[in-house]
Amino acid sequence: MKTVSALLDKQWYERYKRISKLNIRSSIYDVTNRCNLRCKGCFFFSSGEDMAASEENDIHKWKEFIDKEKERGVNLAILIGGEPTLCLDRVEAFYKRLPTFCATNGIIKVPRDRFPDMMVGISLWGDSEDEKILRGKDVFAISSKNYEGDPHTYYLYTITPKQIGKTEKIIKKIQDTGLKVHMQLLSNDEGVDGFSWKTEELKDICSEMDDMLDKYPDTVISSKYYHKIITTGQMLGRPFGWNECPSVTEPLDKRNPKPKHLIHFIRWASDLKTMHRCCTSETRDCSTCKDGAAHMSWVMVNKRAHMESAESLQNWIEVYEMFAKLYQFIPW
Ligand code: SF4
């Protein structure tokens, strides 16, 4: 077995050392079942997860629960929903106890006097035309005003096949608002007409994403290896899917043999008791799942497999760094 220090030169070894100290233990929390939008293709509603459990409304129960999560070893709380900003008291309960990331549609601005350095990821589903089809309105127009120049915010740009050839316009707009952007691909859970990926389109979007990273390195938080993985669904010759997915809720994971997985990972429903299968949806077909975070984690938990060459290990480091930047464990 090759060693890390034998594979890397001094500069890459320093980068490796910085991330190897992090020991990230994340879990995901549905803060609420409600949302002030209803996007087509949002897995939460399309899979009926909004009905899986009734919301806990007692803020003291939330605080007790979060304290227990901390004792369980969680050091990164990823808040999703529903729309977390509809329940800022719950968001605050997390923020005061744990490093917290809040996913939002950006319509309600997180007040920075209450949450000065909480990392916020704003969902973006394309240009205004696509956003109107999938989300009912041009949400970017609102969110970009709310968060302009905010150093702790980035756009989570879910790219659809209709965005091929159009991403640069959007990335320029994001650059102009002084924010960063991370790209992932739409898993068309609701089979909206014209939004499913074809093989050729995946190849095209891969080279377009590479191009965007080259042209806008200060705005785009990404890596070319990640682009290759999410567009091919392959890592070192292995296909992504149920048998490999690392983002499965640990107590529900009955796979045998168990693949490499995120340690202590649970996705909790908003009753603070019910667990969901994985970081995305109950009903999503794993063979068509394009979830960016699940693919990133897939790379991250497979360090040993990337120790076949210097290049492969550097790819692994870049994906780990990207994840660490997105959740504020290391600076942009
Ligand atoms: S739907 Fe995606 S994230 Fe969930 S278990 Fe399947 S592959 Fe993993």
Side-chain angles (χ1 to χ4, degrees), residues 240-242 245-248 277-281 284-287 289-291 294:
F240 184 69
W242 172 248
C245 184
S247 308
V248 173
R277 173 184 65 167
C278 65
C279 66
T280 71
S281 153
R284 177 174 287 174
D285 174 358
C286 297
S287 66
C289 176
K290 302 247 173 297
D291 186 77

Side-chain angles (χ1 to χ4, degrees), residues 24-240:
I24 301 169
R25 300 268 186 271
S26 63
S27 278
I28 299 185
Y29 306 87
D30 292 346
V31 173
T32 172
N33 296 337
R34 291 165 287 139
C35 191
N36 47 1
L37 274 180
R38 170 61 176 95
C39 309
K40 285 182 190 154
C42 169
F43 65 74
F44 188 64
F45 291 100
S46 67
S47 67
E49 286 180 344
D50 57 320
M51 314 289 267
S54 52
E55 255 174 81
E56 175 55 64
N57 288 314
D58 182 345
I59 190 65
H60 299 293
K61 297 250 174 75
W62 281 88
K63 288 175 183 170
E64 278 167 27
F65 169 80
I66 301 161
D67 286 337
K68 282 203 189 113
E69 285 295 277
K70 201 173 167 181
E71 279 166 28
R72 200 168 65 77
V74 173
N75 63 8
L76 170 62
I78 300 175
L79 309 187
I80 60 169
E83 172 53 48
T85 60
L86 294 174
C87 304
L88 287 175
D89 55 342
R90 297 175 198 171
V91 176
E92 191 171 46
F94 279 99
Y95 176 70
K96 288 199 163 157
R97 287 164 175 79
L98 281 173
T100 298
F101 166 85
C102 180
T104 175
N105 56 37
I107 290 177
I108 298 171
K109 188 181 177 179
V110 163
R112 284 302 187 192
D113 51 347
R114 253 170 108 181
F115 305 94
D117 59 357
M118 182 172 70
M119 189 60 106
V120 171
I122 310 174
S123 53
L124 171 66
W125 293 46
D127 57 8
S128 53
E129 249 167 70
D130 273 12
E131 286 227 296
K132 279 179 199 152
I133 297 170
L134 294 167
R135 319 182 85 182
K137 62 170 118 174
D138 178 2
V139 186
F140 180 81
I142 305 167
S143 60
S144 57
K145 282 203 184 80
N146 280 342
Y147 285 92
E148 197 174 0
D150 191 317
H152 302 289
T153 300
Y154 66 87
Y155 274 101
L156 183 56
Y157 178 11
T158 301
I159 297 178
T160 71
K162 288 185 192 286
Q163 290 296 298
I164 297 169
K166 297 186 193 165
T167 59
E168 182 160 13
K169 207 171 136 202
I170 292 178
I171 287 168
K172 265 192 187 151
K173 271 164 89 176
I174 293 172
Q175 187 183 48
D176 291 346
T177 62
L179 299 176
K180 310 276 184 197
V181 59
H182 172 65
M183 301 177 283
Q184 65 165 11
L185 303 182
L186 180 79
S187 304
N188 189 9
D189 288 348
E190 289 179 85
V192 188
D193 212 18
F195 285 85
S196 295
W197 290 100
K198 298 188 184 83
T199 310
E200 276 314 304
E201 291 171 334
L202 288 165
K203 274 192 197 148
D204 290 346
I205 202 63
C206 185
S207 57
E208 189 166 330
M209 288 193 289
D210 285 356
D211 196 30
M212 290 303 101
L213 183 57
D214 287 339
K215 279 186 168 164
Y216 302 92
D218 296 331
T219 299
V220 175
I221 307 293
S222 204
S223 92
K224 290 188 181 173
Y225 187 53
Y226 163 74
H227 300 160
K228 193 171 150 210
I229 300 245
I230 54 168
T231 54
T232 60
Q234 298 269 331
M235 178 188 71
L236 305 172
R238 286 151 51 182
F240 184 69

